[in-house]
């Protein structure tokens, strides 16, 4: 028997698609809203190939409030929302801040408005460790104060958290959990879904797999003069399937009323920091590919090091990252090869 229907906005995107798979495999029905601005409709078929179940799909941008209402009038049985749909390119957000504020803030506000109007109590929000900036003390806990964002994109994550904090406090029948992701990497073991950035990738692992596939000539490592064990930046790289599972756990928590406050937020990472050079070495040993890379200057806006204290997620959610870095990087490479037909 179905555990109920979950709306996944941005469900054809990278983290969204993996979350749809995990939801279906835990017994939930899923309806996706996506405007396909940064993903493709084939993802819906690939999800079906993995799970045997085709999620329902509606194509529109959540900035259109009238379409949001039409949606909730059609789907009257939604138990909870997981909200991924957002613009996410850090550099572009600096060039086009209004696009980011308009899309990311309006979409969330429209959803919360519909939660009130249509009585959908629960929402899980896709936040980011970007809200911490460069923390003074590592690992970073949820108690660590947020810092002023480095980019309009990062600021939208912080303001969205404020919108949820204030809305859940004012409108008593709404509950929210924000998950602060560290750096999601890897792909589903089937190699049918994965990260598929348009144009030149900004993020490290897609750049690595595209270089390994011969699409990019060389990976640039941005800086080896940071105050870290090998001079390259430290991040907490979290497997996307592990991350997707955290969403299922958060939904179960809300639906069973186990949340301890109307608004909660959790760090979702491995708890371990790896340097960029360590990740490159793990990639080479996991795949046997000899990666062409060189050290270049620092990238503007990069923070030196961050990794999560995941005690709260481990103890409160009963969730823990399980996959190793090597299996995660092998899954990213398998996805790239499968996607390119290599
Ligand atoms: C960035 C965003 C973060 C967002 C995340 C999405 C910033 C400040 N943060 O995180 O808000 O949630 O993407 O996944 O932009 N690197 C290289 N060469 C490359 C690409 C990256 O050396 O070609 C290095 C970077 O300098 C960094 C690390 O790899 O040290 C990770 O970079 P990236 O994957 O872009 O993620 P973040 O910058 O950590």
């Amino acid at each position: 028997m179905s555990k109920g229907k979950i709306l996944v906005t941005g469900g054809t995107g990278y983290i969204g698609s993996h979350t749809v798979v995990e939801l279906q495999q835990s017994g939930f029905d899923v309806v996706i809203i996506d405007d396909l601005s940064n993903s493709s409709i084939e993802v819906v078929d690939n999800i079906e190939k993995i799970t045997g179940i085709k999620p329902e799909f509606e194509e529109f941008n959540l900035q259109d409030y009238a379409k949001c209402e039409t949606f909730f009038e059609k789907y009257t049985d939604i138990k909870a929302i997981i909200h991924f749909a957002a613009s996410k390119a850090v550099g572009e957000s600096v060039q086009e801040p209004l696009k980011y504020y308009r899309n990311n803030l309006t979409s969330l506000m429209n959803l919360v408005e519909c939660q009130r109007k249509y009585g959908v109590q629960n929402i899980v929000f896709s936040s980011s460790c970007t809200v911490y900036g460069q923390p003074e003390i590592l690992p970073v806990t949820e108690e660590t104060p947020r810092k002023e964002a480095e980019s309009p994109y990062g600021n939208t994550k912080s303001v969205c958290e404020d919108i949820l904090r204030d809305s859940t406090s004012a409108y008593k029948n709404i509950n929210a959990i924000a998950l602060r992701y560290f750096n999601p990497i890897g792909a589903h073991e089937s190699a049918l879904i994965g990260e598929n950035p348009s144009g030149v990738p900004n993020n490290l692992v897609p750049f690595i797999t595209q270089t390994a596939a011969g699409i990019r000539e060389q990976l640039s490592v941005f800086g080896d003069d940071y105050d870290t064990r090998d001079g390259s930046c430290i991040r907490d790289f979290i497997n996307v399937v592990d991350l997707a599972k955290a969403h299922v756990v958060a939904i179960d928590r809300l639906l069973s009323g186990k949340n301890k406050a109307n608004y909660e937020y959790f760090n979702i990472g491995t708890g371990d920091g790896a340097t960029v050079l360590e990740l490159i070495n793990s990639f080479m040993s996991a795949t046997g590919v000899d990666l062409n890379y060189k050290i270049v200057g620092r990238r503007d806006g990069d923070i030196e090091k961050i990794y999560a204290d995941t005690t709260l997620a481990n103890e409160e959610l009963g969730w823990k990252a399980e996959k190793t870095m090597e299996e995660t990087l092998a899954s990213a490479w398998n996805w790239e090869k499968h996607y390119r037909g290599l």
Side-chain angles (χ1 to χ4, degrees):
M1 209 191 77
S2 166
K3 286 164 74 179
K5 189 172 287 184
I6 310 298
L7 163 60
V8 181
T9 77
T12 50
Y14 173 45
I15 307 172
S17 58
H18 289 82
T19 301
V20 172
V21 166
E22 296 305 316
L23 284 166
Q24 290 181 327
Q25 290 180 337
S26 329
F28 288 103
D29 293 326
V30 175
V31 53
I32 293 171
I33 298 174
D34 203 299
D35 68 357
L36 300 179
S37 58
N38 195 25
S39 60
S40 81
I41 191 67
E42 284 80 56
V43 172
V44 173
D45 296 328
N46 289 332
I47 290 170
E48 185 185 10
K49 280 184 200 148
I50 296 170
T51 64
I53 307 161
K54 191 168 187 146
E56 292 176 281
F57 178 81
E58 299 284 345
E59 182 182 343
F60 67 94
N61 184 288
L62 294 157
Q63 287 177 68
D64 188 333
Y65 184 68
K67 286 191 179 151
C68 292
E69 287 208 329
T70 307
F71 173 88
F72 282 97
E73 271 152 28
K74 177 173 172 190
Y75 295 89
T76 53
D77 54 349
I78 289 173
K79 292 272 180 297
I81 300 167
I82 306 182
H83 179 44
F84 294 104
S87 305
K88 64 168 191 179
V90 177
E92 186 192 41
S93 80
V94 177
Q95 306 300 320
E96 289 193 65
L98 288 181
K99 172 179 168 186
Y100 277 68
Y101 287 114
R102 193 175 290 120
N103 191 32
N104 295 4
L105 304 188
T106 310
S107 296
L108 177 65
M109 290 190 289
N110 285 347
L111 279 174
V112 175
E113 197 70 64
C114 286
Q115 286 188 266
R116 299 179 64 202
K117 181 160 181 185
Y118 298 96
V120 180
Q121 276 197 315
N122 300 307
I123 186 164
V124 174
F125 175 65
S126 163
S127 190
S128 167
C129 68
T130 193
V131 302
Y132 296 118
Q134 175 63 67
E136 269 126 54
I137 300 166
L138 291 172
V140 66
T141 74
E142 289 81 354
E143 302 305 312
T144 305
R146 287 185 280 156
K147 281 206 176 134
E148 194 171 333
E150 297 275 344
S151 68
Y153 157 78
N155 201 30
T156 67
K157 291 294 173 193
S158 228
V159 177
C160 282
E161 287 200 2
D162 291 341
I163 290 170
L164 289 172
R165 180 199 59 204
D166 297 344
S167 298
T168 51
S169 148
Y171 317 128
K172 291 296 175 208
N173 55 350
I174 293 184
N175 298 307
I177 292 179
L179 300 180
R180 291 176 175 165
Y181 317 149
F182 284 67
N183 286 56
I185 61 168
H188 193 263
E189 60 181 12
S190 65
L192 287 166
I193 53 173
E195 187 170 13
N196 186 17
S198 52
V200 182
N202 293 310
N203 294 118
L204 179 61
V205 170
F207 207 105
I208 288 176
T209 55
Q210 289 195 12
T211 305
I215 295 152
R216 312 281 155 209
E217 203 179 311
Q218 190 172 49
L219 168 75
S220 296
V221 173
F222 299 133
D224 69 347
D225 57 351
Y226 287 100
D227 181 19
T228 61
R229 46 191 179 261
D230 60 23
S232 63
C233 293
I234 291 180
R235 295 289 184 274
D236 185 334
F237 297 100
I238 166 83
N239 180 288
V240 68
V241 175
D242 281 340
L243 173 59
K245 288 179 176 159
H247 294 79
V248 178
V249 171
I251 287 290
D252 281 333
R253 179 178 177 88
L254 289 171
L255 292 180
S256 60
K258 293 203 177 103
N259 50 314
K260 294 196 172 144
N262 291 53
Y263 176 53
E264 298 179 308
Y265 43 96
F266 297 95
N267 286 343
I268 303 295
T270 65
D272 284 324
T275 71
V276 171
L277 291 170
E278 286 165 354
L279 182 138
I280 290 169
N281 285 322
S282 297
F283 179 83
M284 294 197 286
S285 69
T287 62
V289 175
D290 192 14
L291 196 70
N292 180 18
Y293 71 92
K294 69 163 187 256
I295 312 283
V296 301
R298 294 180 177 194
R299 180 171 74 175
D300 267 359
D302 269 341
I303 57 162
E304 185 168 86
K305 50 188 163 206
I306 187 162
Y307 52 98
D309 183 321
T310 59
T311 310
L312 195 66
N314 300 159
E315 290 179 358
E316 272 301 317
L317 295 178
W319 169 91
K320 203 172 186 335
E322 282 167 0
K323 310 255 190 209
T324 65
M325 164 90 84
E326 297 217 341
E327 67 185 300
T328 302
L329 291 169
S331 73
W333 179 226
N334 286 340
W335 151 251
E336 185 77 51
K337 283 193 293 187
H338 184 264
Y339 180 73
R340 305 282 167 194
L342 299 174

Short mmCIF file of all heavy atoms in Angstrom, two decimals, residues 88 90 128 130 150 153-154 181-184 195 201-205 207 219-223 226 233-235 237 276 299 301-303, ligand 1:
data_model
loop_
_atom_site.label_atom_id
_atom_site.label_comp_id
_atom_site.label_asym_id
_atom_site.label_seq_id
_atom_site.Cartn_x
_atom_site.Cartn_y
_atom_site.Cartn_z
N LYS A 88 20.83 27.48 -9.59
CA LYS A 88 21.91 27.10 -8.66
C LYS A 88 23.32 27.42 -9.12
O LYS A 88 24.28 26.95 -8.49
CB LYS A 88 21.79 25.61 -8.34
CG LYS A 88 21.99 24.72 -9.55
CD LYS A 88 22.15 23.26 -9.13
CE LYS A 88 22.60 22.41 -10.30
NZ LYS A 88 22.80 21.02 -9.99
N VAL A 90 26.38 29.51 -9.08
CA VAL A 90 26.89 30.59 -8.22
C VAL A 90 27.35 31.79 -9.05
O VAL A 90 26.98 32.94 -8.78
CB VAL A 90 28.05 30.06 -7.34
CG1 VAL A 90 28.64 31.17 -6.49
CG2 VAL A 90 27.56 28.92 -6.46
N SER A 128 21.78 24.58 1.98
CA SER A 128 23.18 24.34 1.63
C SER A 128 24.10 24.79 2.74
O SER A 128 23.79 25.75 3.48
CB SER A 128 23.49 25.13 0.35
OG SER A 128 24.87 25.20 0.12
N THR A 130 26.46 26.45 2.27
CA THR A 130 26.86 27.80 1.89
C THR A 130 26.37 28.83 2.92
O THR A 130 26.95 29.90 3.06
CB THR A 130 26.37 28.13 0.46
OG1 THR A 130 27.02 29.30 0.00
CG2 THR A 130 24.88 28.34 0.39
N GLU A 150 28.20 34.68 0.24
CA GLU A 150 29.22 35.12 -0.72
C GLU A 150 28.62 35.46 -2.08
O GLU A 150 29.27 36.06 -2.91
CB GLU A 150 30.24 33.99 -0.93
CG GLU A 150 31.03 33.60 0.30
CD GLU A 150 32.24 34.49 0.50
OE1 GLU A 150 32.63 35.19 -0.44
OE2 GLU A 150 32.77 34.49 1.64
N TYR A 153 23.15 33.62 -5.07
CA TYR A 153 22.64 32.25 -4.94
C TYR A 153 22.65 31.82 -3.46
O TYR A 153 21.65 31.35 -2.92
CB TYR A 153 23.48 31.27 -5.78
CG TYR A 153 23.38 29.85 -5.29
CD1 TYR A 153 22.27 29.07 -5.58
CD2 TYR A 153 24.38 29.30 -4.47
CE1 TYR A 153 22.16 27.78 -5.07
CE2 TYR A 153 24.27 28.02 -3.96
CZ TYR A 153 23.16 27.26 -4.27
OH TYR A 153 23.05 26.00 -3.76
N GLY A 154 23.82 31.99 -2.82
CA GLY A 154 23.93 31.59 -1.42
C GLY A 154 22.95 32.35 -0.55
O GLY A 154 22.35 31.79 0.37
N TYR A 181 22.88 20.71 2.74
CA TYR A 181 23.77 19.75 2.09
C TYR A 181 25.18 20.30 2.05
O TYR A 181 25.39 21.48 1.79
CB TYR A 181 23.40 19.52 0.62
CG TYR A 181 21.97 19.36 0.28
CD1 TYR A 181 21.51 19.79 -0.97
CD2 TYR A 181 21.06 18.77 1.15
CE1 TYR A 181 20.20 19.65 -1.33
CE2 TYR A 181 19.74 18.63 0.79
CZ TYR A 181 19.31 19.07 -0.45
OH TYR A 181 18.01 18.94 -0.83
N PHE A 182 26.13 19.39 2.18
CA PHE A 182 27.52 19.75 1.92
C PHE A 182 27.75 19.53 0.41
O PHE A 182 26.92 19.99 -0.37
CB PHE A 182 28.44 19.04 2.93
CG PHE A 182 28.32 19.77 4.26
CD1 PHE A 182 27.13 19.76 4.98
CD2 PHE A 182 29.35 20.57 4.72
CE1 PHE A 182 26.98 20.51 6.15
CE2 PHE A 182 29.22 21.31 5.89
CZ PHE A 182 28.03 21.29 6.60
N ASN A 183 28.77 18.87 -0.07
CA ASN A 183 28.96 18.81 -1.53
C ASN A 183 28.49 17.47 -2.11
O ASN A 183 29.19 16.47 -1.98
CB ASN A 183 30.45 19.01 -1.86
CG ASN A 183 30.88 20.46 -1.69
OD1 ASN A 183 30.71 21.04 -0.62
ND2 ASN A 183 31.41 21.05 -2.74
N PRO A 184 27.32 17.46 -2.74
CA PRO A 184 26.79 16.20 -3.28
C PRO A 184 27.56 15.75 -4.52
O PRO A 184 27.81 16.56 -5.42
CB PRO A 184 25.34 16.54 -3.68
CG PRO A 184 25.11 17.93 -3.23
CD PRO A 184 26.41 18.58 -2.98
N GLU A 195 24.50 13.50 -12.49
CA GLU A 195 24.62 14.96 -12.62
C GLU A 195 24.96 15.29 -14.06
O GLU A 195 25.92 14.76 -14.61
CB GLU A 195 25.71 15.48 -11.68
CG GLU A 195 25.79 16.99 -11.61
CD GLU A 195 26.71 17.49 -10.50
OE1 GLU A 195 27.48 16.67 -9.95
OE2 GLU A 195 26.66 18.69 -10.19
N PRO A 201 31.15 22.50 -16.82
CA PRO A 201 30.77 22.34 -15.40
C PRO A 201 31.53 23.28 -14.49
O PRO A 201 32.71 23.55 -14.71
CB PRO A 201 31.19 20.89 -15.10
CG PRO A 201 31.52 20.24 -16.38
CD PRO A 201 31.81 21.31 -17.37
N ASN A 202 30.84 23.80 -13.48
CA ASN A 202 31.50 24.60 -12.44
C ASN A 202 31.99 23.73 -11.31
O ASN A 202 32.97 24.03 -10.66
CB ASN A 202 30.51 25.62 -11.84
CG ASN A 202 30.11 26.65 -12.87
OD1 ASN A 202 30.95 27.25 -13.52
ND2 ASN A 202 28.80 26.86 -13.02
N ASN A 203 31.25 22.65 -11.07
CA ASN A 203 31.56 21.82 -9.90
C ASN A 203 32.65 20.80 -10.21
O ASN A 203 32.86 20.41 -11.36
CB ASN A 203 30.29 21.12 -9.40
CG ASN A 203 29.27 22.11 -8.86
OD1 ASN A 203 28.18 22.23 -9.38
ND2 ASN A 203 29.64 22.85 -7.84
N LEU A 204 33.32 20.41 -9.17
CA LEU A 204 34.55 19.61 -9.31
C LEU A 204 34.32 18.25 -9.99
O LEU A 204 35.02 17.91 -10.96
CB LEU A 204 35.16 19.41 -7.91
CG LEU A 204 36.43 18.59 -7.83
CD1 LEU A 204 37.55 19.22 -8.64
CD2 LEU A 204 36.86 18.43 -6.36
N VAL A 205 33.40 17.46 -9.47
CA VAL A 205 33.32 16.07 -9.96
C VAL A 205 32.83 15.98 -11.41
O VAL A 205 33.42 15.23 -12.20
CB VAL A 205 32.53 15.18 -8.97
CG1 VAL A 205 32.24 13.81 -9.57
CG2 VAL A 205 33.34 15.03 -7.68
N PHE A 207 33.45 18.09 -13.66
CA PHE A 207 34.62 18.50 -14.45
C PHE A 207 35.62 17.34 -14.54
O PHE A 207 36.19 17.07 -15.60
CB PHE A 207 35.28 19.77 -13.88
CG PHE A 207 36.00 20.54 -14.94
CD1 PHE A 207 35.47 21.72 -15.45
CD2 PHE A 207 37.19 20.06 -15.49
CE1 PHE A 207 36.11 22.42 -16.47
CE2 PHE A 207 37.84 20.75 -16.51
CZ PHE A 207 37.30 21.93 -17.00
N LEU A 219 41.83 19.30 -16.09
CA LEU A 219 41.19 19.85 -14.89
C LEU A 219 42.12 20.87 -14.25
O LEU A 219 43.31 20.60 -14.11
CB LEU A 219 40.92 18.71 -13.90
CG LEU A 219 40.52 19.15 -12.48
CD1 LEU A 219 39.08 19.64 -12.43
CD2 LEU A 219 40.72 18.01 -11.48
N SER A 220 41.58 22.02 -13.89
CA SER A 220 42.36 22.98 -13.12
C SER A 220 42.02 22.81 -11.64
O SER A 220 40.85 22.81 -11.27
CB SER A 220 42.00 24.41 -13.53
OG SER A 220 42.35 24.64 -14.86
N VAL A 221 43.03 22.67 -10.82
CA VAL A 221 42.83 22.63 -9.37
C VAL A 221 43.05 24.05 -8.87
O VAL A 221 44.13 24.61 -9.03
CB VAL A 221 43.82 21.65 -8.71
CG1 VAL A 221 43.72 21.73 -7.19
CG2 VAL A 221 43.55 20.23 -9.19
N PHE A 222 41.99 24.60 -8.28
CA PHE A 222 42.04 26.02 -7.91
C PHE A 222 42.75 26.23 -6.57
O PHE A 222 42.12 26.34 -5.54
CB PHE A 222 40.62 26.60 -7.87
CG PHE A 222 39.90 26.55 -9.19
CD1 PHE A 222 38.59 26.08 -9.27
CD2 PHE A 222 40.52 26.96 -10.36
CE1 PHE A 222 37.91 26.03 -10.48
CE2 PHE A 222 39.86 26.91 -11.59
CZ PHE A 222 38.56 26.45 -11.65
N GLY A 223 44.07 26.29 -6.62
CA GLY A 223 44.84 26.67 -5.44
C GLY A 223 45.44 25.50 -4.69
O GLY A 223 44.75 24.50 -4.43
N TYR A 226 46.38 26.88 0.26
CA TYR A 226 45.49 27.06 1.41
C TYR A 226 46.11 26.43 2.65
O TYR A 226 47.00 25.57 2.53
CB TYR A 226 44.12 26.41 1.13
CG TYR A 226 43.27 27.17 0.12
CD1 TYR A 226 43.21 26.75 -1.21
CD2 TYR A 226 42.52 28.28 0.51
CE1 TYR A 226 42.42 27.43 -2.13
CE2 TYR A 226 41.72 28.96 -0.41
CZ TYR A 226 41.67 28.53 -1.72
OH TYR A 226 40.88 29.19 -2.62
N CYS A 233 41.71 22.96 -1.20
CA CYS A 233 40.54 23.19 -0.33
C CYS A 233 39.98 21.89 0.23
O CYS A 233 40.12 20.82 -0.39
CB CYS A 233 39.41 23.86 -1.12
SG CYS A 233 39.77 25.53 -1.64
N ILE A 234 39.33 21.99 1.36
CA ILE A 234 38.67 20.83 1.98
C ILE A 234 37.16 20.98 1.89
O ILE A 234 36.60 22.04 2.19
CB ILE A 234 39.11 20.67 3.45
CG1 ILE A 234 40.59 20.26 3.49
CG2 ILE A 234 38.22 19.68 4.19
CD1 ILE A 234 41.16 20.06 4.90
N ARG A 235 36.52 19.88 1.45
CA ARG A 235 35.05 19.83 1.40
C ARG A 235 34.57 18.51 1.98
O ARG A 235 35.33 17.54 2.04
CB ARG A 235 34.55 19.92 -0.06
CG ARG A 235 34.85 21.23 -0.76
CD ARG A 235 34.00 22.37 -0.23
NE ARG A 235 34.23 23.60 -0.98
CZ ARG A 235 35.20 24.47 -0.72
NH1 ARG A 235 36.05 24.25 0.28
NH2 ARG A 235 35.32 25.57 -1.44
N PHE A 237 32.35 15.74 0.90
CA PHE A 237 31.70 15.24 -0.32
C PHE A 237 30.73 14.12 0.05
O PHE A 237 31.14 13.06 0.53
CB PHE A 237 32.76 14.74 -1.30
CG PHE A 237 33.69 15.83 -1.79
CD1 PHE A 237 34.95 15.99 -1.24
CD2 PHE A 237 33.29 16.70 -2.79
CE1 PHE A 237 35.81 16.99 -1.68
CE2 PHE A 237 34.14 17.71 -3.25
CZ PHE A 237 35.41 17.86 -2.69
N VAL A 276 40.74 18.57 -2.22
CA VAL A 276 40.50 18.40 -3.67
C VAL A 276 41.51 17.40 -4.24
O VAL A 276 41.15 16.51 -5.03
CB VAL A 276 40.59 19.77 -4.38
CG1 VAL A 276 40.57 19.61 -5.89
CG2 VAL A 276 39.44 20.68 -3.92
N ARG A 299 40.26 30.20 -6.97
CA ARG A 299 39.03 30.69 -7.59
C ARG A 299 38.39 31.70 -6.64
O ARG A 299 38.26 31.44 -5.44
CB ARG A 299 38.09 29.50 -7.83
CG ARG A 299 36.78 29.86 -8.48
CD ARG A 299 36.00 28.62 -8.89
NE ARG A 299 35.41 27.91 -7.76
CZ ARG A 299 34.60 26.87 -7.87
NH1 ARG A 299 34.30 26.39 -9.08
NH2 ARG A 299 34.11 26.28 -6.81
N GLY A 301 35.99 33.64 -4.39
CA GLY A 301 34.79 33.26 -3.63
C GLY A 301 34.88 31.90 -2.97
O GLY A 301 33.98 31.52 -2.22
N ASP A 302 35.92 31.10 -3.27
CA ASP A 302 36.02 29.77 -2.65
C ASP A 302 36.38 29.91 -1.18
O ASP A 302 37.21 30.74 -0.81
CB ASP A 302 37.12 28.93 -3.32
CG ASP A 302 36.59 28.09 -4.46
OD1 ASP A 302 35.36 27.87 -4.51
OD2 ASP A 302 37.40 27.67 -5.31
N ILE A 303 35.75 29.09 -0.35
CA ILE A 303 36.18 29.05 1.04
C ILE A 303 37.24 27.97 1.20
O ILE A 303 37.32 27.04 0.40
CB ILE A 303 35.00 28.83 2.00
CG1 ILE A 303 34.27 27.55 1.66
CG2 ILE A 303 34.05 30.01 2.00
CD1 ILE A 303 33.42 27.09 2.80
C1 LIG B 1 29.54 25.29 -4.75
C2 LIG B 1 28.78 26.42 -4.13
C3 LIG B 1 27.74 25.88 -3.19
C4 LIG B 1 26.83 24.95 -3.93
C5 LIG B 1 27.67 23.83 -4.52
C6 LIG B 1 26.80 22.94 -5.36
C7 LIG B 1 30.38 28.28 -3.94
C8 LIG B 1 31.10 29.18 -3.01
N1 LIG B 1 29.66 27.31 -3.39
O1 LIG B 1 30.30 24.66 -3.72
O2 LIG B 1 26.99 26.93 -2.64
O3 LIG B 1 25.87 24.44 -3.05
O4 LIG B 1 28.67 24.37 -5.37
O5 LIG B 1 27.40 21.70 -5.52
O6 LIG B 1 30.47 28.40 -5.13
N2 LIG B 1 37.47 22.95 -7.89
C9 LIG B 1 38.62 22.84 -8.63
N3 LIG B 1 38.51 22.76 -9.98
C10 LIG B 1 37.30 22.80 -10.63
C11 LIG B 1 36.13 22.91 -9.86
C12 LIG B 1 36.25 22.99 -8.48
O7 LIG B 1 39.74 22.81 -8.09
O8 LIG B 1 37.28 22.75 -11.86
C13 LIG B 1 37.56 22.99 -6.41
C14 LIG B 1 36.99 24.28 -5.83
O9 LIG B 1 37.99 25.27 -5.78
C15 LIG B 1 36.55 23.81 -4.45
C16 LIG B 1 36.17 22.33 -4.66
O10 LIG B 1 36.79 21.95 -5.88
O11 LIG B 1 37.62 23.86 -3.57
C17 LIG B 1 34.68 22.11 -4.78
O12 LIG B 1 34.17 23.02 -5.76
P1 LIG B 1 32.65 22.92 -6.29
O13 LIG B 1 32.36 21.54 -6.73
O14 LIG B 1 32.47 24.02 -7.28
O15 LIG B 1 31.77 23.17 -5.00
P2 LIG B 1 31.82 24.37 -3.93
O16 LIG B 1 32.49 25.56 -4.49
O17 LIG B 1 32.33 23.81 -2.66
#
